[in-house]
Amino acid sequence: MKPIAAPHRAPAPSISARTLLAAGLVAGLALVTGCAKSEDGAGGDQVSGQQKDSGQVVVPPGTGSGPTCTVGAYGGRKLDLGSATVGFSQSEKEANPFRIAETASLKAEAGRRGVKLLTANAQSQFSKQISDVQDLIAKGADLLVIAPLNSDGWEPVLRAAAARHIPIVTIDRKINATACKDYVSFIGSDFVEQGKRAADRMIEATGGKGEIAILLGAAGNNVTTERTRGFEDRIKEKAPGLRIVFRQTGDFAREKGQSVTENLIQSKPGIKGIYAENDEMGLGAVGALKGAGKKPGEVKLVTIDGTRNAVQGIVDGWIDGVIESNPRFGPLAFQTLDTFTQGGPVARDVVIQDGSYTKDNAESDLGKAY
């Protein structure tokens, strides 16, 4: 299959050489869309009718190349992916459209390739995710794809996988371990860059002055830490007139995002902007703003993910910008495993090039959201 073109959106800024993908892997990528439906019944990917240009696109190599991993360096063995069993561990309850699309993409690509896929869902319980992966290993998984709930605490799984020389690819979130020793590759976005781009949008929306709040993601994973750091560093650098006066976790959940925002409105009635570290919390914030009698655009709201409901929020005037974080990992995860098991080099950090939604393109690009 030929790679599809990147979505027609604002390009992501360049990132450091440590995250660049080895050219050999780029050449082999086949990027297709997954199929999903949001929890509200709003459209996911269409399998008929208008085809969406929504596959993941990898940041291309520059003059340097990031570190890679091979079967020999990892201590694994060559495999025929078509005859292998792949285990996939999902971290969270699939009420979140991101997780729905992520799982659907893995299943669709496994089906397309004819690969046996074993799946497990930790239901947002880390202890269950550890036991889930151990169970996938016991059931005969030759390869593992893990969407980690937390970044720490993976030692039992890593020991069990190492004992059987099972390669591990993590998606969306990193684990605190050593690439090409404890796991092969991480596939995901540059979360610091996402935070910086969200800050740029907030600065533009607010004029760079006033009090703003952060709805933090769940504690204990690199996504929250890095999206926060990128946002705060860019605000400090570019907009000293913007003051972050409120930080509280919304656990990446809509209901929690709404309740936290209700408290925010009570304690900081003059708040000018809210940065929600995912769309679900942002949509919860919209509910709180509506309940408080606020008008669309009265409080500037910037979110990260790219769900259909959040992009519709831009069209409706409640959200000022959404930084994309594409959940359709299936093609890229399986291509990474295929290249690796055939003996080719794969990047230890496979970084996705994210787009964005603004008032200029939200309506026209709504069909590309998930």
Side-chain angles (χ1 to χ4, degrees):
M1 294 180 64
K2 296 181 179 179
I4 61 175
H8 183 62
R9 305 178 196 143
S14 62
I15 58 177
S16 61
R18 69 176 177 83
T19 59
L20 296 175
L21 180 63
L25 179 56
V26 174
L29 294 179
L31 303 174
V32 298
T33 59
C35 299
K37 185 178 180 181
S38 80
E39 63 176 337
D40 290 328
D45 292 349
Q46 297 173 353
V47 293
S48 62
Q50 183 183 3
Q51 179 65 41
K52 298 172 188 177
D53 181 12
S54 52
Q56 289 179 336
V57 176
V58 178
V59 173
T63 54
S65 61
T68 62
C69 187
T70 62
V71 166
Y74 185 74
R77 63 187 187 278
K78 291 185 179 181
L79 292 172
D80 176 7
L81 183 61
S83 61
T85 298
V86 177
F88 171 55
S89 171
Q90 178 58 274
S91 57
E92 298 178 12
K93 299 175 182 178
E94 292 184 2
N96 185 326
F98 185 98
R99 298 300 169 187
I100 296 171
E102 184 176 65
T103 297
S105 179
L106 267 293
K107 289 181 176 179
E109 185 64 12
R112 189 186 73 81
R113 289 173 173 265
V115 176
K116 181 179 180 181
L117 181 69
L118 306 176
T119 63
N121 191 305
Q123 300 295 316
S124 302
Q125 302 172 45
F126 185 61
S127 60
K128 184 177 185 306
Q129 187 167 36
I130 295 298
S131 64
D132 280 350
V133 180
Q134 290 172 327
D135 187 52
L136 290 171
I137 293 172
K139 288 179 177 178
D142 301 301
L143 305 156
L144 291 169
V145 178
I146 300 174
L149 182 63
N150 294 336
S151 295
D152 292 319
W154 284 95
E155 290 79 9
V157 162
L158 298 179
R159 287 195 297 268
R164 300 195 185 190
H165 305 287
I166 298 173
I168 297 172
V169 168
T170 72
I171 58 174
D172 179 48
R173 296 176 183 172
K174 287 188 175 183
I175 60 175
N176 289 329
T178 303
C180 206
K181 176 187 175 189
D182 301 312
Y183 67 97
V184 174
S185 296
F186 159 74
I187 305 173
S189 299
D190 185 327
F191 303 115
V192 173
E193 195 65 42
Q194 287 180 340
K196 290 180 179 180
R197 295 173 66 204
D200 289 339
R201 186 74 202 112
M202 180 65 74
I203 293 167
E204 183 177 350
T206 60
K209 295 181 180 179
E211 295 183 341
I212 58 175
I214 301 178
L215 301 186
L216 301 165
N221 67 79
N222 70 299
V223 177
T224 297
T225 302
E226 294 176 17
R227 284 179 180 172
T228 303
R229 183 168 78 244
F231 184 85
E232 291 183 343
D233 287 351
R234 184 60 62 91
I235 293 295
K236 183 178 180 181
E237 173 193 356
K238 288 192 170 183
L242 275 179
R243 293 185 296 120
I244 301 170
V245 298
F246 182 97
R247 298 174 183 84
Q248 190 168 329
T249 183
D251 287 327
F252 288 133
R254 189 181 302 195
E255 290 184 2
K256 187 71 176 291
Q258 180 164 342
S259 64
V260 169
T261 305
E262 289 168 349
N263 294 333
L264 165 65
I265 294 168
Q266 291 290 326
S267 62
K268 301 289 183 181
I271 202 75
K272 191 170 182 180
I274 300 172
Y275 164 46
E277 292 185 339
N278 83 334
D279 285 354
E280 286 296 283
M281 292 189 297
L283 291 166
V286 170
L289 293 171
K290 289 180 178 179
K294 301 289 186 181
K295 297 178 181 179
E298 187 175 344
V299 176
K300 307 303 180 182
L301 182 59
V302 178
T303 72
I304 297 178
D305 267 350
T307 66
R308 188 178 182 91
N309 291 323
V311 178
Q312 183 64 51
I314 299 177
V315 177
D316 296 339
W318 287 99
I319 298 176
D320 287 270
V322 175
I323 307 303
E324 182 190 44
S325 195
N326 195 326
R328 300 174 178 96
F329 286 95
L332 193 50
F334 276 91
Q335 183 60 56
T336 300
L337 290 174
D338 197 14
T339 300
F340 178 79
T341 55
Q342 289 184 44
V346 298
R348 300 183 190 186
D349 285 319
V350 181
V351 179
I352 298 163
Q353 180 171 294
D354 295 315
S356 62
Y357 297 92
T358 67
K359 294 175 182 178
D360 293 333
N361 69 347
E363 188 167 7
S364 62
D365 283 358
L366 184 60
K368 297 176 184 177
Y370 55 90

